[in-house]
Amino acid sequence: YLIIDEYDHFANDIIAMGNNEFYKEIVRASGFVRDFYETLKIGTETVIDRIFITGISPIMLDDLTSGFNIALNVTMDLSLNEMLGFTEEEVVKILEEVEIEEKEREKSLEELKELY
């Protein structure tokens, strides 16, 4: 199994800087990012059984489809919603266990809901 977290973080940074030409260069057919994912795809034939990739946004996923066309976007699949990360109930329990005061717990939960 191969797990890649925030596979597109660097690409979003490049786009945010306004460097669209560099972005296009690295994800084009012979760009190093596309080559990397094509290598992973080849690896699924022999050594890699499953690949789980998380990202910040679907921008790069669209640009990699021809080089990495074995992907299935499960972002909105409710049956997988709790696959990774923490549920709200688990976060509340953790905050209680580390003895965060109730007022701070509520504030932390609101911030987490807004940001994540």
Side-chain angles (χ1 to χ4, degrees):
Y1 289 89
L2 175 64
I3 299 174
I4 301 173
D5 186 29
E6 294 188 9
Y7 77 98
D8 57 346
H9 182 81
F10 76 94
N12 288 316
D13 286 347
I14 292 169
I15 292 169
M17 290 186 307
N19 200 340
N20 292 338
E21 290 305 312
F22 180 61
Y23 175 80
K24 289 176 186 174
E25 182 180 320
I26 65 174
V27 297
R28 67 185 163 86
S30 61
F32 71 88
V33 173
R34 175 99 35 114
D35 288 346
F36 173 74
Y37 285 100
E38 285 178 354
T39 302
L40 293 181
K41 179 181 176 183
I42 293 167
T44 63
E45 297 170 5
T46 55
V47 262
I48 301 172
D49 189 49
R50 295 279 190 272
I51 300 173
F52 187 81
I53 300 174
T54 66
I56 299 169
S57 67
I59 295 169
M60 218 171 98
L61 183 62
D62 292 336
D63 290 333
L64 290 176
T65 52
S66 62
F68 193 68
N69 59 3
I70 59 171
L72 175 64
N73 186 347
V74 296
T75 301
M76 303 307 285
D77 186 334
L78 291 177
S79 69
L80 302 174
N81 188 44
E82 296 177 6
M83 185 173 174
L84 295 174
F86 299 100
T87 64
E88 183 176 343
E89 182 179 293
E90 291 168 329
V91 172
V92 168
K93 185 175 181 181
I94 291 168
L95 292 173
E96 289 171 354
E97 287 181 6
V98 295
E99 299 179 356
I100 304 287
E101 292 183 27
E102 187 172 349
K103 184 177 179 182
E104 280 300 309
R105 276 197 312 256
E106 291 172 10
K107 180 180 175 190
S108 295
L109 280 174
E110 288 306 313
E111 288 177 3
L112 289 169
K113 285 179 186 177
E114 180 181 336
L115 299 173
Y116 298 101

